[in-house]
Amino acid sequence: MRGATRGIRRTALAGLAAAGLALVPAVADATPGSGVTGKIISQTTVGDTDYILREVTIAPGGKTGWHFHDGTLYAFVAQGTLTHPDASCEPTVYKTGAAFVEPSGANHTHIGLNLGKKPVVLEVLYVLPHGAPLSEDAPNPGCDF
């Protein structure tokens, strides 16, 4: 009888483990970027906030990959045309001379695309909580970009 009880316990534990694994959310793969380079121009910390001025260049055909930021970004398009879809899959197009703001948080997932023939050059001011990364990878929300 002892062996039978042990077998029942093992079966029950295996079932619980399988049920527990089914409750763990699936992790979606981040979408990799390509053709993007960045150069920090200036960086300072005031209190608990990092201010980072960075030049970002996206080569023709390049993309940032889907991502979001832990703080607000202020961007200026110094050259080229940036196609900028958000999680609704609706792209906004920013041409040379345009300025825009990227709000913080995972609910503001987006991607930067260069669909043109010359590099896109952005001047970006990152206003981030001290020590936060420049961006956080995110899965494609189901868009065709």
Side-chain angles (χ1 to χ4, degrees):
M1 197 57 153
R2 244 173 150 175
T5 304
R6 223 180 275 151
I8 292 170
R9 275 190 276 179
R10 284 185 188 146
T11 302
L13 288 173
L16 286 172
L21 287 175
L23 295 176
V24 176
V27 177
D29 291 333
T31 55
S34 63
V36 180
T37 58
K39 176 175 74 171
I40 293 178
I41 297 167
S42 176
Q43 181 172 356
T44 190
T45 301
V46 178
D48 292 335
T49 306
D50 291 337
Y51 298 88
I52 303 165
L53 181 60
R54 187 170 178 238
E55 182 177 86
V56 177
T57 302
I58 307 172
K63 60 185 177 181
T64 62
W66 286 95
H67 66 281
F68 64 91
H69 306 280
D70 294 325
T72 303
L73 269 67
Y74 302 90
F76 174 76
V77 182
Q79 175 184 304
T81 300
L82 176 70
T83 301
H84 194 262
D86 61 16
S88 73
C89 302
E90 290 298 320
T92 302
V93 176
Y94 299 104
K95 297 184 178 194
T96 300
F100 60 96
V101 177
E102 291 181 351
S104 67
N107 56 332
H108 294 287
T109 298
H110 57 276
I111 187 171
L113 305 166
N114 182 354
L115 304 178
K117 296 188 185 302
K118 65 179 181 176
V120 169
V121 179
L122 306 171
E123 303 297 333
V124 182
L125 175 62
Y126 297 74
V127 181
L128 302 169
H130 180 61
L134 295 174
S135 65
E136 302 268 4
D137 290 340
N140 182 330
C143 304
D144 291 332
F145 298 102

Short mmCIF file of all heavy atoms in Angstrom, two decimals, residues 52-114:
data_model
loop_
_atom_site.label_atom_id
_atom_site.label_comp_id
_atom_site.label_asym_id
_atom_site.label_seq_id
_atom_site.Cartn_x
_atom_site.Cartn_y
_atom_site.Cartn_z
N ILE A 52 19.62 62.92 -20.26
CA ILE A 52 20.61 62.41 -21.21
C ILE A 52 20.25 62.95 -22.59
O ILE A 52 19.16 62.69 -23.10
CB ILE A 52 20.62 60.87 -21.22
CG1 ILE A 52 20.91 60.35 -19.82
CG2 ILE A 52 21.63 60.35 -22.25
CD1 ILE A 52 20.60 58.89 -19.63
N LEU A 53 21.17 63.70 -23.19
CA LEU A 53 20.99 64.18 -24.55
C LEU A 53 21.77 63.23 -25.46
O LEU A 53 22.97 63.01 -25.26
CB LEU A 53 21.50 65.61 -24.70
CG LEU A 53 21.34 66.24 -26.08
CD1 LEU A 53 19.87 66.29 -26.48
CD2 LEU A 53 21.95 67.63 -26.10
N ARG A 54 21.07 62.67 -26.43
CA ARG A 54 21.67 61.63 -27.26
C ARG A 54 21.29 61.85 -28.72
O ARG A 54 20.17 62.22 -29.04
CB ARG A 54 21.13 60.27 -26.80
CG ARG A 54 21.74 59.07 -27.43
CD ARG A 54 21.25 57.82 -26.66
NE ARG A 54 21.78 56.61 -27.25
CZ ARG A 54 21.04 55.61 -27.70
NH1 ARG A 54 19.73 55.65 -27.61
NH2 ARG A 54 21.61 54.54 -28.22
N GLU A 55 22.26 61.62 -29.61
CA GLU A 55 21.99 61.64 -31.04
C GLU A 55 21.79 60.19 -31.48
O GLU A 55 22.64 59.34 -31.25
CB GLU A 55 23.15 62.26 -31.81
CG GLU A 55 22.88 62.34 -33.30
CD GLU A 55 24.02 63.02 -34.03
OE1 GLU A 55 24.99 62.31 -34.38
OE2 GLU A 55 23.94 64.25 -34.23
N VAL A 56 20.63 59.94 -32.10
CA VAL A 56 20.29 58.59 -32.57
C VAL A 56 20.20 58.64 -34.09
O VAL A 56 19.51 59.50 -34.65
CB VAL A 56 18.94 58.13 -31.97
CG1 VAL A 56 18.55 56.76 -32.52
CG2 VAL A 56 19.00 58.10 -30.45
N THR A 57 20.88 57.72 -34.75
CA THR A 57 20.85 57.63 -36.20
C THR A 57 20.27 56.28 -36.60
O THR A 57 20.72 55.24 -36.10
CB THR A 57 22.26 57.80 -36.80
OG1 THR A 57 22.79 59.06 -36.38
CG2 THR A 57 22.24 57.75 -38.32
N ILE A 58 19.28 56.32 -37.50
CA ILE A 58 18.67 55.10 -38.02
C ILE A 58 18.97 55.05 -39.52
O ILE A 58 18.55 55.93 -40.28
CB ILE A 58 17.15 55.07 -37.78
CG1 ILE A 58 16.83 55.31 -36.30
CG2 ILE A 58 16.55 53.75 -38.26
CD1 ILE A 58 15.35 55.48 -36.01
N ALA A 59 19.72 54.05 -39.93
CA ALA A 59 20.10 53.89 -41.33
C ALA A 59 18.86 53.59 -42.19
O ALA A 59 17.85 53.10 -41.67
CB ALA A 59 21.11 52.75 -41.46
N PRO A 60 18.93 53.85 -43.49
CA PRO A 60 17.82 53.47 -44.38
C PRO A 60 17.48 51.99 -44.19
O PRO A 60 18.36 51.14 -44.16
CB PRO A 60 18.37 53.74 -45.77
CG PRO A 60 19.38 54.83 -45.56
CD PRO A 60 20.02 54.50 -44.23
N GLY A 61 16.20 51.72 -44.00
CA GLY A 61 15.75 50.35 -43.75
C GLY A 61 15.90 49.91 -42.31
O GLY A 61 15.49 48.81 -41.95
N GLY A 62 16.45 50.77 -41.46
CA GLY A 62 16.69 50.42 -40.06
C GLY A 62 15.44 50.57 -39.20
O GLY A 62 14.47 51.22 -39.59
N LYS A 63 15.51 49.97 -38.02
CA LYS A 63 14.40 50.04 -37.07
C LYS A 63 14.93 49.90 -35.65
O LYS A 63 15.95 49.25 -35.41
CB LYS A 63 13.39 48.94 -37.36
CG LYS A 63 13.95 47.53 -37.25
CD LYS A 63 12.95 46.49 -37.66
CE LYS A 63 13.61 45.11 -37.61
NZ LYS A 63 12.69 44.07 -38.02
N THR A 64 14.22 50.52 -34.71
CA THR A 64 14.65 50.49 -33.31
C THR A 64 14.26 49.20 -32.61
O THR A 64 14.83 48.85 -31.60
CB THR A 64 14.02 51.65 -32.52
OG1 THR A 64 12.60 51.51 -32.52
CG2 THR A 64 14.44 52.99 -33.07
N GLY A 65 13.27 48.49 -33.12
CA GLY A 65 12.68 47.39 -32.38
C GLY A 65 11.61 47.97 -31.46
O GLY A 65 11.66 49.15 -31.09
N TRP A 66 10.61 47.18 -31.13
CA TRP A 66 9.54 47.67 -30.25
C TRP A 66 10.10 47.87 -28.86
O TRP A 66 10.87 47.05 -28.35
CB TRP A 66 8.39 46.65 -30.23
CG TRP A 66 7.60 46.67 -31.49
CD1 TRP A 66 7.79 45.85 -32.57
CD2 TRP A 66 6.54 47.55 -31.82
NE1 TRP A 66 6.89 46.19 -33.56
CE2 TRP A 66 6.11 47.23 -33.12
CE3 TRP A 66 5.91 48.60 -31.15
CZ2 TRP A 66 5.08 47.90 -33.76
CZ3 TRP A 66 4.87 49.27 -31.78
CH2 TRP A 66 4.46 48.92 -33.07
N HIS A 67 9.73 49.00 -28.23
CA HIS A 67 10.25 49.33 -26.91
C HIS A 67 9.39 50.39 -26.25
O HIS A 67 8.46 50.92 -26.85
CB HIS A 67 11.70 49.82 -27.03
CG HIS A 67 11.84 51.12 -27.76
ND1 HIS A 67 11.81 51.21 -29.14
CD2 HIS A 67 11.98 52.40 -27.32
CE1 HIS A 67 11.94 52.46 -29.52
NE2 HIS A 67 12.03 53.22 -28.42
N PHE A 68 9.73 50.70 -24.99
CA PHE A 68 9.11 51.81 -24.27
C PHE A 68 10.18 52.40 -23.36
O PHE A 68 11.30 51.86 -23.26
CB PHE A 68 7.87 51.36 -23.47
CG PHE A 68 8.16 50.37 -22.37
CD1 PHE A 68 8.45 50.81 -21.08
CD2 PHE A 68 8.15 49.01 -22.61
CE1 PHE A 68 8.71 49.91 -20.05
CE2 PHE A 68 8.41 48.10 -21.60
CZ PHE A 68 8.69 48.55 -20.32
N HIS A 69 9.86 53.50 -22.72
CA HIS A 69 10.82 54.19 -21.85
C HIS A 69 10.23 54.36 -20.45
O HIS A 69 9.01 54.52 -20.30
CB HIS A 69 11.15 55.56 -22.44
CG HIS A 69 11.62 55.49 -23.85
ND1 HIS A 69 12.90 55.15 -24.21
CD2 HIS A 69 10.96 55.68 -25.02
CE1 HIS A 69 13.01 55.14 -25.53
NE2 HIS A 69 11.84 55.46 -26.05
N ASP A 70 11.09 54.36 -19.46
CA ASP A 70 10.67 54.55 -18.07
C ASP A 70 10.49 56.02 -17.71
O ASP A 70 10.08 56.34 -16.60
CB ASP A 70 11.68 53.91 -17.11
CG ASP A 70 11.72 52.40 -17.25
OD1 ASP A 70 10.66 51.79 -17.50
OD2 ASP A 70 12.81 51.82 -17.12
N GLY A 71 10.83 56.90 -18.63
CA GLY A 71 10.66 58.34 -18.44
C GLY A 71 10.22 58.97 -19.75
O GLY A 71 10.09 58.28 -20.77
N THR A 72 10.01 60.26 -19.74
CA THR A 72 9.56 60.97 -20.93
C THR A 72 10.74 61.31 -21.83
O THR A 72 11.82 61.67 -21.35
CB THR A 72 8.83 62.26 -20.51
OG1 THR A 72 7.75 61.89 -19.65
CG2 THR A 72 8.28 63.00 -21.71
N LEU A 73 10.52 61.22 -23.15
CA LEU A 73 11.54 61.61 -24.13
C LEU A 73 11.03 62.77 -24.96
O LEU A 73 9.85 62.83 -25.30
CB LEU A 73 11.84 60.44 -25.09
CG LEU A 73 12.97 59.51 -24.67
CD1 LEU A 73 12.58 58.74 -23.44
CD2 LEU A 73 13.30 58.57 -25.80
N TYR A 74 11.95 63.67 -25.28
CA TYR A 74 11.66 64.81 -26.15
C TYR A 74 12.59 64.67 -27.34
O TYR A 74 13.81 64.62 -27.18
CB TYR A 74 11.92 66.12 -25.41
CG TYR A 74 11.08 66.22 -24.16
CD1 TYR A 74 11.55 65.74 -22.93
CD2 TYR A 74 9.80 66.77 -24.20
CE1 TYR A 74 10.77 65.81 -21.79
CE2 TYR A 74 9.02 66.84 -23.05
CZ TYR A 74 9.51 66.35 -21.86
OH TYR A 74 8.73 66.42 -20.74
N ALA A 75 12.03 64.58 -28.55
CA ALA A 75 12.83 64.29 -29.73
C ALA A 75 12.65 65.36 -30.80
O ALA A 75 11.58 65.94 -30.95
CB ALA A 75 12.45 62.93 -30.29
N PHE A 76 13.73 65.58 -31.55
CA PHE A 76 13.74 66.50 -32.68
C PHE A 76 14.33 65.76 -33.86
O PHE A 76 15.39 65.12 -33.75
CB PHE A 76 14.59 67.73 -32.34
CG PHE A 76 14.78 68.66 -33.50
CD1 PHE A 76 13.76 69.51 -33.90
CD2 PHE A 76 15.98 68.68 -34.20
CE1 PHE A 76 13.92 70.37 -34.99
CE2 PHE A 76 16.16 69.53 -35.28
CZ PHE A 76 15.13 70.38 -35.67
N VAL A 77 13.66 65.80 -35.01
CA VAL A 77 14.15 65.14 -36.22
C VAL A 77 15.08 66.11 -36.93
O VAL A 77 14.65 67.08 -37.54
CB VAL A 77 13.00 64.71 -37.15
CG1 VAL A 77 13.55 63.99 -38.38
CG2 VAL A 77 12.00 63.83 -36.42
N ALA A 78 16.39 65.85 -36.83
CA ALA A 78 17.38 66.72 -37.45
C ALA A 78 17.56 66.42 -38.93
O ALA A 78 17.97 67.29 -39.70
CB ALA A 78 18.72 66.58 -36.72
N GLN A 79 17.25 65.17 -39.32
CA GLN A 79 17.41 64.78 -40.73
C GLN A 79 16.53 63.57 -41.02
O GLN A 79 16.38 62.69 -40.17
CB GLN A 79 18.87 64.41 -40.99
CG GLN A 79 19.15 63.86 -42.38
CD GLN A 79 20.60 63.43 -42.52
OE1 GLN A 79 21.50 64.22 -42.29
NE2 GLN A 79 20.81 62.18 -42.89
N GLY A 80 15.97 63.53 -42.20
CA GLY A 80 15.22 62.36 -42.66
C GLY A 80 13.76 62.36 -42.24
O GLY A 80 13.23 63.37 -41.76
N THR A 81 13.14 61.22 -42.42
CA THR A 81 11.73 61.04 -42.08
C THR A 81 11.59 59.79 -41.22
O THR A 81 11.96 58.69 -41.65
CB THR A 81 10.88 60.89 -43.35
OG1 THR A 81 11.03 62.08 -44.15
CG2 THR A 81 9.41 60.70 -43.03
N LEU A 82 11.06 59.97 -40.02
CA LEU A 82 10.86 58.87 -39.08
C LEU A 82 9.41 58.41 -39.13
O LEU A 82 8.49 59.21 -39.00
CB LEU A 82 11.18 59.33 -37.65
CG LEU A 82 10.93 58.30 -36.54
CD1 LEU A 82 11.96 57.17 -36.64
CD2 LEU A 82 10.97 58.97 -35.18
N THR A 83 9.22 57.12 -39.32
CA THR A 83 7.89 56.52 -39.22
C THR A 83 7.82 55.90 -37.83
O THR A 83 8.69 55.12 -37.44
CB THR A 83 7.68 55.46 -40.32
OG1 THR A 83 7.84 56.10 -41.59
CG2 THR A 83 6.30 54.84 -40.24
N HIS A 84 6.77 56.26 -37.08
CA HIS A 84 6.73 55.98 -35.64
C HIS A 84 5.39 55.37 -35.23
O HIS A 84 4.54 56.05 -34.67
CB HIS A 84 6.98 57.32 -34.93
CG HIS A 84 7.30 57.23 -33.49
ND1 HIS A 84 6.34 57.42 -32.53
CD2 HIS A 84 8.46 57.00 -32.84
CE1 HIS A 84 6.90 57.33 -31.33
NE2 HIS A 84 8.18 57.06 -31.50
N PRO A 85 5.17 54.06 -35.49
CA PRO A 85 3.94 53.42 -35.05
C PRO A 85 3.93 53.18 -33.54
O PRO A 85 4.99 52.94 -32.94
CB PRO A 85 3.93 52.07 -35.78
CG PRO A 85 5.02 52.16 -36.80
CD PRO A 85 5.98 53.18 -36.32
N ASP A 86 2.74 53.23 -32.96
CA ASP A 86 2.60 52.86 -31.56
C ASP A 86 1.83 51.54 -31.49
O ASP A 86 1.60 50.90 -32.51
CB ASP A 86 1.92 53.97 -30.76
CG ASP A 86 0.52 54.29 -31.24
OD1 ASP A 86 -0.08 53.49 -31.99
OD2 ASP A 86 0.00 55.36 -30.86
N ALA A 87 1.43 51.14 -30.30
CA ALA A 87 0.78 49.84 -30.12
C ALA A 87 -0.56 49.72 -30.84
O ALA A 87 -1.07 48.62 -31.03
CB ALA A 87 0.61 49.54 -28.63
N SER A 88 -1.14 50.85 -31.29
CA SER A 88 -2.38 50.79 -32.06
C SER A 88 -2.10 50.43 -33.52
O SER A 88 -3.03 50.25 -34.30
CB SER A 88 -3.12 52.13 -32.00
OG SER A 88 -2.44 53.10 -32.78
N CYS A 89 -0.83 50.34 -33.88
CA CYS A 89 -0.35 50.03 -35.23
C CYS A 89 -0.55 51.19 -36.21
O CYS A 89 -0.35 51.02 -37.41
CB CYS A 89 -0.98 48.75 -35.78
SG CYS A 89 -0.68 47.30 -34.74
N GLU A 90 -0.94 52.34 -35.72
CA GLU A 90 -1.11 53.53 -36.57
C GLU A 90 0.20 54.33 -36.55
O GLU A 90 0.59 54.83 -35.50
CB GLU A 90 -2.25 54.40 -36.06
CG GLU A 90 -3.62 53.77 -36.26
CD GLU A 90 -3.96 53.54 -37.72
OE1 GLU A 90 -3.63 54.42 -38.56
OE2 GLU A 90 -4.53 52.48 -38.03
N PRO A 91 0.87 54.46 -37.69
CA PRO A 91 2.12 55.20 -37.69
C PRO A 91 1.90 56.72 -37.76
O PRO A 91 0.98 57.20 -38.41
CB PRO A 91 2.83 54.71 -38.96
CG PRO A 91 1.72 54.30 -39.86
CD PRO A 91 0.61 53.81 -38.98
N THR A 92 2.75 57.43 -37.05
CA THR A 92 2.85 58.87 -37.19
C THR A 92 4.15 59.13 -37.92
O THR A 92 5.16 58.48 -37.64
CB THR A 92 2.87 59.57 -35.82
OG1 THR A 92 1.68 59.21 -35.12
CG2 THR A 92 2.94 61.07 -35.96
N VAL A 93 4.15 60.04 -38.88
CA VAL A 93 5.35 60.33 -39.67
C VAL A 93 5.87 61.70 -39.25
O VAL A 93 5.13 62.68 -39.23
CB VAL A 93 5.04 60.29 -41.18
CG1 VAL A 93 6.26 60.69 -42.00
CG2 VAL A 93 4.57 58.89 -41.58
N TYR A 94 7.16 61.73 -38.89
CA TYR A 94 7.83 62.97 -38.49
C TYR A 94 8.93 63.26 -39.50
O TYR A 94 9.83 62.44 -39.70
CB TYR A 94 8.44 62.84 -37.09
CG TYR A 94 7.42 62.55 -36.02
CD1 TYR A 94 7.30 61.28 -35.47
CD2 TYR A 94 6.60 63.56 -35.53
CE1 TYR A 94 6.38 61.01 -34.46
CE2 TYR A 94 5.67 63.31 -34.53
CZ TYR A 94 5.58 62.03 -34.00
OH TYR A 94 4.65 61.78 -33.01
N LYS A 95 8.87 64.43 -40.12
CA LYS A 95 9.87 64.84 -41.11
C LYS A 95 10.89 65.77 -40.48
O LYS A 95 10.70 66.25 -39.36
CB LYS A 95 9.17 65.52 -42.29
CG LYS A 95 8.24 64.57 -43.03
CD LYS A 95 7.63 65.20 -44.23
CE LYS A 95 6.76 64.16 -44.93
NZ LYS A 95 6.37 64.54 -46.25
N THR A 96 11.96 66.05 -41.22
CA THR A 96 13.00 66.96 -40.75
C THR A 96 12.37 68.23 -40.17
O THR A 96 11.49 68.83 -40.78
CB THR A 96 13.94 67.33 -41.91
OG1 THR A 96 14.54 66.13 -42.41
CG2 THR A 96 15.04 68.28 -41.46
N GLY A 97 12.82 68.60 -38.99
CA GLY A 97 12.32 69.80 -38.32
C GLY A 97 11.20 69.54 -37.34
O GLY A 97 10.83 70.42 -36.56
N ALA A 98 10.63 68.34 -37.34
CA ALA A 98 9.53 68.02 -36.43
C ALA A 98 10.06 67.70 -35.04
O ALA A 98 11.17 67.17 -34.88
CB ALA A 98 8.73 66.84 -36.96
N ALA A 99 9.27 68.01 -34.04
CA ALA A 99 9.57 67.65 -32.66
C ALA A 99 8.39 66.84 -32.12
O ALA A 99 7.25 67.05 -32.53
CB ALA A 99 9.80 68.89 -31.82
N PHE A 100 8.69 65.91 -31.23
CA PHE A 100 7.61 65.11 -30.64
C PHE A 100 8.03 64.64 -29.25
O PHE A 100 9.19 64.70 -28.88
CB PHE A 100 7.22 63.94 -31.54
CG PHE A 100 8.33 62.96 -31.83
CD1 PHE A 100 8.46 61.80 -31.08
CD2 PHE A 100 9.22 63.18 -32.88
CE1 PHE A 100 9.47 60.88 -31.36
CE2 PHE A 100 10.22 62.27 -33.17
CZ PHE A 100 10.35 61.12 -32.40
N VAL A 101 7.04 64.16 -28.50
CA VAL A 101 7.25 63.66 -27.14
C VAL A 101 6.83 62.20 -27.09
O VAL A 101 5.80 61.83 -27.65
CB VAL A 101 6.41 64.49 -26.13
CG1 VAL A 101 6.55 63.93 -24.72
CG2 VAL A 101 6.80 65.95 -26.17
N GLU A 102 7.63 61.39 -26.41
CA GLU A 102 7.26 60.01 -26.15
C GLU A 102 6.98 59.88 -24.66
O GLU A 102 7.88 60.02 -23.84
CB GLU A 102 8.39 59.05 -26.55
CG GLU A 102 8.62 58.97 -28.04
CD GLU A 102 9.73 58.00 -28.41
OE1 GLU A 102 10.45 57.50 -27.51
OE2 GLU A 102 9.88 57.74 -29.61
N PRO A 103 5.73 59.61 -24.28
CA PRO A 103 5.39 59.46 -22.86
C PRO A 103 6.03 58.19 -22.28
O PRO A 103 6.38 57.26 -23.01
CB PRO A 103 3.87 59.34 -22.84
CG PRO A 103 3.41 59.72 -24.21
CD PRO A 103 4.56 59.51 -25.13
N SER A 104 6.13 58.15 -20.97
CA SER A 104 6.75 57.01 -20.30
C SER A 104 5.75 55.88 -20.07
O SER A 104 4.55 56.09 -20.06
CB SER A 104 7.34 57.45 -18.97
OG SER A 104 6.31 57.83 -18.08
N GLY A 105 6.30 54.68 -19.91
CA GLY A 105 5.51 53.54 -19.48
C GLY A 105 5.28 52.48 -20.55
O GLY A 105 5.32 52.75 -21.74
N ALA A 106 5.04 51.26 -20.06
CA ALA A 106 4.84 50.11 -20.94
C ALA A 106 3.57 50.24 -21.78
O ALA A 106 3.43 49.56 -22.80
CB ALA A 106 4.79 48.83 -20.11
N ASN A 107 2.66 51.11 -21.39
CA ASN A 107 1.45 51.31 -22.19
C ASN A 107 1.70 52.29 -23.35
O ASN A 107 0.77 52.65 -24.05
CB ASN A 107 0.29 51.79 -21.32
CG ASN A 107 0.62 53.03 -20.54
OD1 ASN A 107 1.78 53.29 -20.22
ND2 ASN A 107 -0.38 53.81 -20.20
N HIS A 108 2.96 52.69 -23.54
CA HIS A 108 3.34 53.57 -24.66
C HIS A 108 4.42 52.90 -25.52
O HIS A 108 5.43 53.50 -25.88
CB HIS A 108 3.83 54.93 -24.15
CG HIS A 108 2.74 55.70 -23.47
ND1 HIS A 108 1.72 56.30 -24.18
CD2 HIS A 108 2.51 55.95 -22.17
CE1 HIS A 108 0.91 56.90 -23.32
NE2 HIS A 108 1.35 56.69 -22.10
N THR A 109 4.20 51.64 -25.84
CA THR A 109 5.12 50.87 -26.67
C THR A 109 5.11 51.44 -28.09
O THR A 109 4.07 51.83 -28.60
CB THR A 109 4.70 49.40 -26.70
OG1 THR A 109 4.76 48.88 -25.36
CG2 THR A 109 5.58 48.57 -27.59
N HIS A 110 6.29 51.49 -28.71
CA HIS A 110 6.41 52.03 -30.06
C HIS A 110 7.67 51.49 -30.74
O HIS A 110 8.48 50.82 -30.10
CB HIS A 110 6.45 53.57 -30.02
CG HIS A 110 7.55 54.08 -29.16
ND1 HIS A 110 7.44 54.22 -27.80
CD2 HIS A 110 8.81 54.48 -29.46
CE1 HIS A 110 8.58 54.68 -27.30
NE2 HIS A 110 9.43 54.83 -28.29
N ILE A 111 7.80 51.82 -32.02
CA ILE A 111 8.98 51.45 -32.80
C ILE A 111 9.31 52.63 -33.71
O ILE A 111 8.43 53.36 -34.14
CB ILE A 111 8.72 50.16 -33.63
CG1 ILE A 111 10.00 49.65 -34.30
CG2 ILE A 111 7.60 50.37 -34.64
CD1 ILE A 111 9.84 48.27 -34.95
N GLY A 112 10.59 52.83 -33.97
CA GLY A 112 11.03 53.85 -34.91
C GLY A 112 11.54 53.17 -36.17
O GLY A 112 12.36 52.26 -36.09
N LEU A 113 11.05 53.62 -37.33
CA LEU A 113 11.41 53.01 -38.61
C LEU A 113 11.95 54.07 -39.56
O LEU A 113 11.41 55.18 -39.62
CB LEU A 113 10.19 52.37 -39.26
CG LEU A 113 9.40 51.34 -38.45
CD1 LEU A 113 8.05 51.08 -39.10
CD2 LEU A 113 10.20 50.06 -38.32
N ASN A 114 12.96 53.71 -40.32
CA ASN A 114 13.42 54.56 -41.41
C ASN A 114 13.06 53.87 -42.72
O ASN A 114 13.74 52.94 -43.15
CB ASN A 114 14.92 54.81 -41.34
CG ASN A 114 15.40 55.73 -42.44
OD1 ASN A 114 14.65 56.11 -43.34
ND2 ASN A 114 16.67 56.10 -42.38
#
